[in-house]
Structures are given as structure tokens and as C-alpha cells.
Amino acid sequence: MRAKYDEVAADYDEWVGGGSALDDPTFTELTGEVTGQEICVVACGQGREARYLATQGAVVTGVDLSEKLLEMACLHEETEPLGISYQHGDAHTLEGLADDSFDGVVCYMALMDIPNLDDAVRSMARVLKPGGWFVISITHPCFKTPATGEIVDHVDQSVRRTVGKYFVEGYWDGPGAHRNALPVGAYHRTISTYVNTLSAAGLVINQLREVPADTPVWREVPQLLYIRGSRVGRVLGSGVL
Ligand SMILES: C[S@@+](CC[C@H](N)C(=O)[O-])C[C@H]1O[C@@H](n2cnc3c(N)ncnc32)[C@H](O)[C@@H]1O
């Protein structure tokens, strides 16, 4: 499987702040107290959320498809060792990671980049201990769709986000429309697909956060969606016990 982030690894590393740890109050709140917990960071990229969790006392394993981003993660780990173990792998299988082995699983800003949601979510559920927790963040699927734009309200000049093609699931990439400097496309899914896929894998949602950003249009509607939940039961084949 081609690792598209290999092509933009240096730009991405710079864009997300090099070797610094993730600084995201919503992520901090949702992951909570993690001291001593074993956490798998799926699609960890250059490791920013792995570093945050390790600084909070977690024992972290990061997995990503992009060897270039992983090289950067390892370099950051060499410069400032936090005991993070990084491995090259595919989120669709999480091959090499044992069933029922992690207290928590995190997938931060990455499910939109992963082609098969069902396989990725099932793998996350598989490596979680029964009762273990997960935190996911994604671009908000209701407001970042394959056809979005911004218009100015003719009455009060405020800016509105326009949304179309919400029900068109699958890969999309508008030239310059998505991530501008980082020409990597994304997979759009409806919010019901996300919820139903988690549920089918035996993952229940405990909390949602819809997070705006500090621009006129993103103050009015959420830019990001965060989900915290936990694993119930054991995933066997295509069913959940
Ligand atoms: C937007 S980046 C997020 C990286 C990191 N979580 C962060 O927030 O900086 C998306 C990540 O998903 C990874 N990715 C995409 N498909 C993957 C797959 N099938 N298995 C593992 N990682 C994958 C990419 O290599 C990239 O690192």
C-alpha cells in the first residue's frame, strides 16, 4: 500500500510543529489520566500525540504507514527520549500487535486518510483490552465534505460555510481545496457511517466534542469532531459477542 504521506513528510513535520508534543486541550481532556497505561497510537505520523501521551506517563506504541514520518518520529525520540516505540504498519490490520493488549487506542486526525474504515476500526477494537478506551479525532464530516465553500451573508456580511455532496462517500480531492500546501486527499464518510462502524466493531461512544477554530467561518460551525468511547465484548469474525 502506497504511503502518500511519504511525499509530503517534511512539509507535514514542519506544519505540525517538528518535535514538539501535541498541544490540544480537547485531546488532553478526552484522554484524561494515562499514567502507566499502555496506549497504541494508530497512524501516529511524526509522533506528536504519542509524545504528548508519553510525557503524561503512558507507555506508548506508535504505528504508521509512512516510513518517512516514522523516521522523523524516531529522530525526535532520539533527541528527547520518552520511551516511545514506533513501528511501521498498516492501520487496516495492525499486524504484529496482539489482541486485547492495550488500555487505550488513539487515532488522531487520520481516519479520513485511511481507505477502509471498517478494517481500521475493527483492528483498533481488536488490540484494545475489553473495557479499554479509545479517542478518535477527525475533520467534522458534516462540515468538511467533498463540496464545501464559504459565502458572505448579504444582510450582515458574516461568513457562512456551505456544504454539499454530504452523501457522496469515498475518496475526494479538490485541487488546493484540501490542505492547500499538503496535496493529500481524504475519504469522506457520513457521521452515521462513523457511528455505525464503531458500533459494529463493539466500540461504544461515551463522549463527543465538536470543536470550532478561530476563524470567522469556523467559529460558527465545528471544524473537528472528537469521539471518546470504549470497547465492549470481544470481536470475533464479523460479529461482536
Ligand atoms: C493527517 S496525518 C496525522 C498524523 C498524526 N496522527 C498527526 O496528527 O500528526 C494522517 C496519518 O495517517 C497515516 N496513514 C494513512 N493511511 C494509513 C494506514 N493505512 N495505516 C497507518 N497509517 C496510515 C499517514 O501516514 C499519516 O501519518
Side-chain angles (χ1 to χ4, degrees):
M1 191 176 182
R2 181 168 148 244
K4 290 194 211 150
Y5 274 79
D6 276 348
E7 292 154 31
V8 294
D11 287 346
Y12 189 75
D13 182 52
E14 190 184 331
W15 190 53
V16 298
S20 53
L22 180 71
D23 178 10
D24 176 341
T26 307
F27 184 74
T28 296
E29 185 203 336
L30 287 181
T31 48
E33 168 62 54
V34 294
T35 308
Q37 294 190 26
E38 299 225 17
I39 300 179
C40 178
V41 179
V42 177
C44 62
Q46 51 85 283
R48 60 181 174 154
E49 68 271 25
R51 285 189 287 282
Y52 166 74
L53 292 164
T55 59
Q56 302 306 299
V59 181
V60 180
T61 301
V63 180
D64 201 279
L65 194 63
S66 164
E67 296 195 45
K68 291 226 165 102
L69 282 177
L70 283 175
E71 275 167 26
M72 288 166 183
C74 291
L75 266 181
H76 297 317
E77 175 68 16
E78 266 171 49
T79 312
E80 194 180 335
L82 293 167
I84 304 168
S85 142
Y86 289 108
Q87 58 188 70
H88 182 237
D90 187 346
H92 293 109
T93 58
L94 294 178
E95 200 181 326
L97 298 181
D99 294 359
D100 308 342
S101 55
F102 290 95
D103 301 295
V105 169
V106 160
C107 189
Y108 187 83
M109 296 306 297
L111 282 179
M112 316 79 66
D113 290 290
I114 296 176
N116 190 319
L117 182 68
D118 197 51
D119 286 354
V121 166
R122 262 180 198 283
S123 297
M124 289 167 59
R126 178 182 68 73
V127 301
L128 262 185
K129 294 176 184 169
W133 59 269
F134 70 91
V135 170
I136 287 168
S137 74
I138 51 176
T139 50
H140 200 303
C142 299
F143 300 102
K144 189 129 188 173
T145 67
T148 50
E150 293 176 9
I151 54 165
V152 178
D153 187 295
H154 72 284
V155 177
D156 66 5
Q157 306 303 303
S158 59
V159 187
R160 299 269 181 277
R161 188 140 179 102
T162 61
V163 176
K165 295 191 180 171
Y166 176 70
F167 293 106
V168 183
E169 295 198 320
Y171 184 81
W172 68 279
D173 197 16
H178 180 63
R179 289 207 193 99
N180 300 318
L182 295 173
V184 179
Y187 294 86
H188 171 68
R189 288 119 185 171
T190 62
I191 202 160
S192 47
T193 292
Y194 277 108
V195 171
N196 295 336
T197 304
L198 291 168
S199 174
L203 298 176
V204 289
I205 296 175
N206 306 128
Q207 296 185 58
L208 292 183
R209 293 281 184 282
E210 296 180 288
V211 178
D214 199 16
T215 66
V217 75
W218 289 117
R219 275 194 283 273
E220 302 212 1
V221 294
Q223 188 180 45
L224 303 177
L225 176 66
Y226 292 68
I227 305 172
R228 177 172 168 121
S230 51
R231 177 184 160 190
V232 289
R234 173 176 288 276
V235 182
L236 282 183
S238 58
V240 178
L241 290 182

